[in-house]
């Protein structure tokens, strides 16, 4: 197809231009000078972008990904994509700089037109002309003006110049100082480019891709900036604006390119569909537009209506190809073909004029495109019919109106036409007519030479044999026959016609022009030159028969130079064309004899006479490490009956995988005693050796420093011999293994020859496939006996957790005990490895109990299970010698995290049988572990009365007090307060635990205070045992004092409760105690508001009298007045002021005492519970005391006279509670 313009036959793909990506394969500027399109450099619309190119590494890699997605080299078919995906149209992708030039829409007005005045630039003169495209038949200066039909420049316009999509790439800066300026410049550039495309009247889709320097996650304003750019430019976010984040991996870039092209596919299809509609409207009009100027030279006619129909149908077919709608394209091309060869177009052109040759070229091109569309749609028989129909119609035209089909020109065209069919089949990639490198024996034997008719042909319609699609070799052979006919016809040219024009009379030159068909072929003096002149080399034209042509010319050296690479690498062996293989072998041998090439002679003669084939098979589809693996090698001699015996010194079998090579060495003693029957199986005993001299003189295939298996056998083969060698091996490594090659080493006094059969490449030798069918082989019964899967040795040493414990607690030194039981039939040498896998990046180390760690190099070579970066491996710990049917226990510990976490514990045992210390066996135990909190706690924070007197402003202080909280030695001279923190702890442990201590840890102080803590539970005896869900309370006394008296700020305290504990089943000597820290929510200490504290103490002398003191505190700087009133009750009698008024000066407190005599108690809230929420979700229920008549509820009402606000009374001593009604005093058991 190289004889035709490239644009005429190129595969039409939507063009995408990538602007602004700086890379090795991107053009910095468009090659306008190299374009053949008229006026493109003078008047073509220009797309100018002043933005700098994107030159980041990501941009360069992105450009490479786009260029790799270019489909110009893809097969010409519509097969399904990878993994069953829906096939998408391919794209032609080109990278360019920031400046691009589009083809001009209109041509210049002709300067000599009679319709123009002397001043051709005046508006009146330009308006009087009808301007058309520079490549239109209506424009003077066009290659097809005035009556041409089509030129390849039009195809170049849509294939290389006018894109369906123009994509500009920009950097989205991350600099906050210049991002606004950069975005405004970017908006202006995008709007300017859109205006340029609008002014050019091309319908190209403009697309913008933003390569950001900051991801959306890192910069929250990125989304807003992109939305702002989209609104200002009017770009469609679905298919016109794309965003690529930074630090994108190669896989993500490929995915972005795939998504980008998939998104733009419907855009491109719609673009070419609009072009088809435009051409269809032009075709349907009834008039022909007037030309810019009438023709003035040559014929005076312009292109007629039928010619315009050919032009428009051809355009419609091309646009359908761009959309890959091959059915529609085929219909348009057939319409264009019929109209072109009609009486109105082709028959009206002068014979053998330039327009005749142009029309004939266009007919060839349309026929080729039609055949390609039919092959695309798998209509193979129709494609052959179309190929043959075109050949017959052109032959008829040449015979009727041309110079006939008996010259070398017609033979040259037929050779070219047959070769084009072969190239179309190759490019269409019809699998049934090809055999790849992985073809198996049965596939090669049944290789398809031709295909049957497709389903679209009606059933019963007669199909001639030559109408079937054949193997490309058929068409190449047909082309070679025409090349030979061309050479014969060229040699028959008269000697006077072979003289160059300068050496012939003018009359002879004129008569010669009308005597020979030179369509796409040279003149007679070039086709068959006189001696001493250069001309056509017919040998180079017959590519597949060039060797025979050289032999015909007795140029033996050139023939051997061509045939030797063909003999070495020819695919006919793989495809089963044995007759062709034999022809090439005979030709190589003949050339080698004529040139005295001994090496080529030996190789060719070996394949023709001493044919050795081999097959290899394993017994079974799989085996285990350390077990016997049986296998067979079958060698057969297919030499001629009169050939002498062949004696090999060695046969080496090589494997890919985990098996060692096998070397068979010839033994004369075995040769004299071995049986000659084909049914006899020769058992070969193998032994391991490391001696490199065992297979000496075998070149690069000699044994290396690694060990191999060696055995003795009879390697003497006569014609027709078939010997079966059986042997067994013991695999030492797990993995897949398959036969690689069988190497035959032939040694004698004259030469040494290595004969290699690459069995893994499924190659064949002359006459017989290399894989011999062994009817006596007892191992047959599966298709791929040359491959075996070596499984690891099944471990029989059992691993399990002794106690089965899979749940632990946070902040615990978890202890795991393993039990190892040896179920092997013999003793083993074993070692252990443990690892903990979790989500945290900081996992604790694992420590074995009662053993010292050591490093074993064998363990480092074994395959370790894949883990995340958050796993920690343990060095090997040796168990040592473990007898059969015995048990050993090992324990290890690891500290758990402070938060509940799920772990995966992997314990691996690696052992060796004492009888086989070279084969490692391993087993892995995987256990899911869970950690939970051992405790949950709720807290009650209540005030207590501080007995110390308050400081006063009326007493002078000697020293100034600093407000610095970090000054540890500073004396606190502010108001002191007592508080009680009660921690109620519930056990969530799975078993009984022992609490050894409760400690309240002060984590932080805010607000200028000093705090002193002390436990306040004298009855609590530690250590103590608690069971699951058992509750235990612990109280702590807090003394809080302001550093400065004048400090009115509120204060806060941060505490944590530390619980020291251990499992009750373990003594303190077996395992150290664990410590769990529970954080307490921040405690607020008000210091500027007045408060009332109620303190109840039993009278030491008058039982059951209770002294009830109300402490009214005024820590503010205001004078406060309170009204007091005590309500009477049937529950008690009291003495004290029933009504009264009290004034408190700033920074003072006053105590009002009532003596209470209980009459009867009450149940404050019968069957009532109190729910305290902690951590937002968990609830601890604390039961109230429910004894009747043990509580009384005094009601002292205190009202601030100024604000008229009732103050709340707070219980501040032991034996008191609070509810909605106020304070409660316990009067039972007093």
């Amino acid at each position: 197809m190289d004889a035709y313009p490239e644009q005429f036959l190129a595969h039409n793909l939507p063009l995408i231009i990538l602007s602004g990506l700086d890379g090795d394969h991107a053009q910095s500027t468009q090659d306008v000078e190299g374009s053949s399109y008229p006026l493109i450099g003078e008047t073509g619309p220009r797309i100018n972008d002043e933005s700098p190119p994107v030159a980041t590494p990501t941009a360069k890699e992105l450009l490479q990904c786009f260029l790799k997605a270019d489909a110009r080299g893809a097969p010409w078919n519509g097969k399904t994509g990878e993994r069953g995906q829906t096939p998408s149209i391919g794209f032609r992708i080109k990278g360019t700089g920031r400046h691009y030039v589009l083809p001009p829409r209109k041509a210049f007005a002709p300067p000599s037109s009679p319709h123009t005045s002397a001043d051709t630039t005046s508006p009146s003169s330009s308006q009087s002309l009808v301007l058309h495209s520079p490549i239109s038949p209506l424009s003077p200066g066009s290659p097809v003006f005035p009556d041409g039909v089509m030129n390849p420049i039009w195809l170049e316009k849509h294939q290389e110049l006018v894109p369906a999509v123009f994509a500009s790439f920009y950097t989205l800066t991350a600099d906050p100082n210049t991002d606004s300026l950069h975005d405004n410049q970017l908006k202006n550039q995008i709007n300017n480019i859109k205006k340029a495309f609008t002014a050019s009247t091309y319908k190209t889709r403009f697309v913008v891709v933003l390569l950001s320097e900051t991801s959306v996650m890192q910069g929250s304003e990125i989304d807003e900036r992109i939305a702002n750019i989209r609104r200002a430019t009017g770009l469609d976010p679905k298919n016109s604006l794309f965003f690529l984040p930074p630090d994108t991996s190669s896989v993500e870039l490929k995915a972005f390119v795939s998504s980008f092209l998939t998104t733009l596919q419907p855009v491109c299809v719609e673009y070419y569909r609009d072009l088809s509609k435009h051409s269809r409207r032009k075709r349907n009009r009834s008039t022909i537009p007037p030309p810019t100027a009438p023709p003035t030279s040559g014929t005076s006619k312009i292109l007629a209506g039928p010619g315009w129909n050919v032009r428009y149908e051809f355009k419609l077919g091309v646009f359908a190809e761009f959309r890959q709608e091959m059915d529609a394209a085929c219909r348009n091309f057939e319409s264009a073909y019929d109209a072109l060869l009609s009486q109105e177009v082709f028959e009206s052109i002068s014979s053998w004029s330039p327009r005749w040759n142009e029309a004939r070229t266009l007919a060839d091109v349309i026929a080729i495109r039609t055949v390609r569309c039919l092959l695309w749609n798998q209509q193979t028989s129709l494609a052959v019919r179309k190929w043959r129909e075109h050949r017959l119609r052109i032959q008829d035209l040449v015979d009727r109106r041309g110079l006939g089909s008996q010259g070398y020109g017609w033979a040259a065209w037929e050779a070219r036409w047959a070769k084009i069919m072969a190239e179309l089949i190759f490019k269409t990639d019809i699998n049934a007519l090809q055999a790849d490198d992985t073809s198996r024996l049965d596939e090669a034997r049944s290789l398809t030479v031709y295909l049957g008719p497709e389903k679209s042909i009606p059933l019963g319609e007669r199909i001639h044999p030559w109408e079937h699609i054949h193997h490309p070799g058929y068409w190449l052979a047909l082309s070679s026959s025409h090349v030979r006919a061309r050479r014969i016809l060229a040699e028959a040219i008269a000697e006077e016609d072979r003289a160059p024009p300068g050496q012939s009379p003018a009359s002879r030159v004129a008569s010669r022009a009308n005597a020979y068909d030179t369509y796409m072929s040279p003149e007679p003096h070039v086709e068959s030159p006189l001696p001493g002149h250069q001309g056509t080399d017919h040998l180079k034209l017959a590519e597949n028969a060039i060797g025979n042509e050289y032999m015909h010319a007795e140029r033996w050296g050139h023939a051997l130079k061509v045939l030797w690479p063909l003999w070495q690498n020819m695919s006919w062996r793989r495809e089963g064309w044995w007759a062709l293989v034999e022809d090439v072998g005979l030709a190589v041998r003949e050339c080698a004899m004529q040139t005295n090439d001994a090496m080529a002679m030996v190789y060719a003669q070996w394949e023709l006479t001493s044919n050795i084939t081999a097959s290899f098979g394993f017994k079974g589809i799989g085996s285990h490490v350390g077990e016997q693996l049986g296998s067979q090698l079958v060698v057969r001699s297919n030499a001629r009956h009169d050939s002498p015996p062949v004696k090999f010194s060695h046969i080496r079998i090589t494997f890919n995988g985990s098996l060692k090579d096998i070397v068979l060495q010839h033994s004369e003693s075995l040769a004299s005693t071995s049986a000659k029957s084909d049914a006899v199986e020769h058992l070969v005993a193998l032994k391991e050796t490391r001696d490199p001299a065992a297979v000496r003189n075998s070149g690069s295939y000699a044994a290396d420093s690694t060990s191999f298996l060696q055995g003795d056998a009879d390697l003497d083969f006569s014609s027709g011999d078939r010997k079966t060698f059986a042997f067994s091996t013991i695999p030492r490594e797990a993995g897949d293994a398959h036969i690689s090659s069988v190497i035959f080493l032939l040694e004698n006094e004259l030469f040494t020859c290595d004969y290699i059969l690459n069995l893994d490449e499924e190659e064949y030798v002359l006459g017989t496939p290399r894989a011999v069918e062994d009817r006596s082989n007892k191992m047959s019964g599966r298709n791929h006996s040359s491959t075996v899967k070596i499984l690891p040795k099944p471990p029989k040493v059992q691993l399990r957790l002794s106690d089965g414990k899979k749940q632990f607690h946070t902040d615990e030194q978890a202890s795991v005990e393993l039990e190892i039981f040896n179920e092997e039939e013999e003793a083993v040498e074993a070692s252990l490895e443990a690892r903990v896998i979790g989500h945290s990046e900081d996992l604790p180390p694992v420590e074995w109990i009662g053993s010292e760690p050591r490093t074993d190099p064998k363990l480092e070579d074994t395959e370790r299970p894949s883990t995340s970066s958050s796993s920690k491996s343990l060095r090997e710990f040796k168990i040592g010698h473990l007898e059969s049917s015995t048990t050993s226990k090992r324990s290890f510990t690891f500290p758990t995290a402070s938060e509940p976490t799920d772990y995966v514990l992997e314990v691996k045992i690696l052992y060796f049988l004492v009888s086989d210390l070279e084969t490692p066996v391993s087993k892995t135990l995987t256990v899911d572990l869970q950690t939970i909190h051992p405790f949950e706690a709720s807290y009650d924070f209540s005030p207590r009365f501080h007995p110390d007197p308050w400081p006063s402003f009326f007493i002078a202080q000697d020293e100034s007090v600093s407000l610095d909280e970090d000054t540890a030695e500073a004396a606190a001279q502010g108001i002191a307060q007592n508080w009680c923190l009660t921690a109620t702890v519930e056990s969530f442990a799975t078993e009984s635990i022992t609490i050894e201590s409760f400690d309240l840890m002060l984590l932080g102080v805010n607000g200028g205070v000093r705090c002193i803590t002390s436990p306040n539970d004298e009855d609590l005896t530690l250590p103590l045992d608690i069971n699951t869900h058992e509750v235990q309370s612990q109280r702590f006394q807090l003394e809080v004092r302001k550093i400065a008296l004048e400090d009115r700020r509120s204060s806060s305290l941060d505490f944590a409760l530390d619980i020291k504990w251990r499992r009750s089943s373990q003594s303190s000597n077996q395992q150290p105690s664990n410590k769990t820290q529970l954080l307490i929510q921040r405690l607020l200490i008000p210091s500027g508001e007045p408060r009332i504290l109620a303190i109840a103490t039993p009278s030491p002398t008058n039982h059951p009298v209770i002294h009830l003191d109300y402490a009214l505190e005024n820590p503010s700087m205001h004078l406060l007045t309170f009204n007091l009133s005590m309500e009477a009750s049937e529950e008690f009698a009291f003495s004290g002021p029933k009504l009264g008024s009290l004034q408190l000066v700033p920074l003072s407190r006053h105590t009002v005492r009532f003596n209470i005599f209980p009459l009867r108690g009450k149940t404050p809230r019968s069957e009532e519970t109190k729910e305290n929420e902690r951590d937002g979700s968990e609830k601890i229920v604390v039961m109230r005391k429910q004894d009747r008549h043990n509580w009384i509820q005094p009601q002292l009402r205190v009202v601030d006279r100024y604000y008229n606000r009732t103050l709340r009374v707070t219980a501040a001593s032991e034996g008191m509670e609070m509810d909605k009604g106020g304070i409660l005093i316990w009067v039972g058991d007093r």
Side-chain angles (χ1 to χ4, degrees), residues 1052-1067:
S1052 62
L1053 304 175
D1054 294 326
F1055 288 101
L1057 180 63
D1058 286 353
I1059 305 176
K1060 189 176 181 181
W1061 61 277
R1062 57 179 169 82
R1063 295 178 184 265
S1064 299
S1065 59
Q1066 298 173 347
S1067 64

Side-chain angles (χ1 to χ4, degrees), residues 13-26 54 57-73 89-96 165-170 207-211 239 241-244 248-265 268:
L13 299 169
L15 177 61
I16 296 180
I17 298 296
L18 309 178
S19 174
L21 283 180
D22 189 11
D24 298 334
H25 300 279
V54 184
T58 301
K60 295 181 179 180
E61 188 175 359
L62 179 62
L63 178 61
Q64 293 295 328
C65 293
F66 270 112
L67 296 180
K68 288 180 181 179
D70 191 295
R72 276 177 280 190
I89 62 175
F91 296 91
R92 183 189 298 258
I93 301 175
K94 294 173 61 177
T96 186
V165 174
F166 187 92
S168 290
F169 293 78
Y170 300 98
V207 172
V208 173
V209 181
L210 301 178
L211 280 71
N239 51 27
L241 183 60
F242 297 85
F243 175 79
L244 185 64
T248 307
S249 64
S250 301
V251 176
E252 293 172 333
L253 287 178
K254 293 179 182 179
F256 174 80
V257 171
S258 177
S259 175
F260 180 87
L261 298 179
T262 303
T263 303
L264 294 180
Q265 176 176 331
C268 295

Side-chain angles (χ1 to χ4, degrees), residues 671-790:
S672 60
T673 60
S674 62
K676 300 298 183 181
S677 175
D678 291 349
V680 175
E681 188 177 66
H682 303 277
L683 299 177
V684 181
L686 301 177
K687 62 179 180 180
E688 187 172 354
T689 180
R690 296 179 182 270
D691 184 12
V695 284
R696 57 186 177 276
N697 300 327
S698 60
S700 60
Y701 300 97
D704 52 19
S705 59
T706 60
S707 63
F708 57 92
L709 302 176
Q710 179 181 344
D712 296 333
D714 177 16
L715 305 182
D716 193 351
F717 294 89
S718 300
S719 175
D721 283 354
R722 181 176 62 184
K723 295 183 179 181
T724 302
F725 304 100
F727 28 76
S728 62
T729 59
I730 300 179
R732 298 300 183 187
E733 297 180 9
D736 293 336
H738 61 276
I739 183 69
S740 175
S741 63
V742 178
I743 306 170
F744 298 85
L745 179 60
L746 181 64
E747 295 179 317
N748 58 27
E749 299 176 354
L750 300 179
F751 63 89
T752 299
C753 177
D754 286 340
Y755 181 55
I756 307 170
L757 290 178
N758 294 316
L759 302 188
D760 63 336
E761 297 180 0
E762 301 287 342
E763 291 190 353
Y764 300 86
V765 294
L766 178 61
T768 306
R770 57 90 185 145
V772 180
E773 181 182 0
D774 183 13
R775 291 185 174 87
S776 64
N777 186 1
K778 305 301 182 182
M779 303 178 186
S780 61
R782 60 192 185 91
N783 295 330
H784 300 283
S785 61
S786 61
T787 301
V788 67
K789 185 176 185 62
I790 308 298

Side-chain angles (χ1 to χ4, degrees), residues 1156-1213:
I1156 303 296
F1157 186 88
L1159 300 178
R1160 63 183 179 88
K1162 62 172 291 187
T1163 301
R1165 285 174 292 179
S1166 178
E1167 306 294 335
E1168 187 176 358
T1169 62
K1170 178 182 179 182
E1171 295 185 355
N1172 296 319
E1173 294 190 4
R1174 194 176 64 85
D1175 295 338
S1177 62
E1178 301 180 3
K1179 296 182 178 180
I1180 299 178
V1181 179
V1182 181
M1183 301 300 299
R1184 289 278 188 179
K1185 297 180 181 179
Q1186 300 175 6
D1187 301 276
R1188 291 181 174 272
H1189 312 298
N1190 290 330
W1191 295 91
I1192 61 174
Q1193 192 170 33
Q1195 296 285 348
L1196 177 66
R1197 180 179 179 83
V1198 181
V1199 179
D1200 187 335
R1201 181 181 297 179
Y1202 182 81
Y1203 293 102
N1204 196 23
R1205 182 168 63 91
T1206 302
L1207 275 67
R1208 184 170 181 266
V1209 179
T1210 305
S1213 66

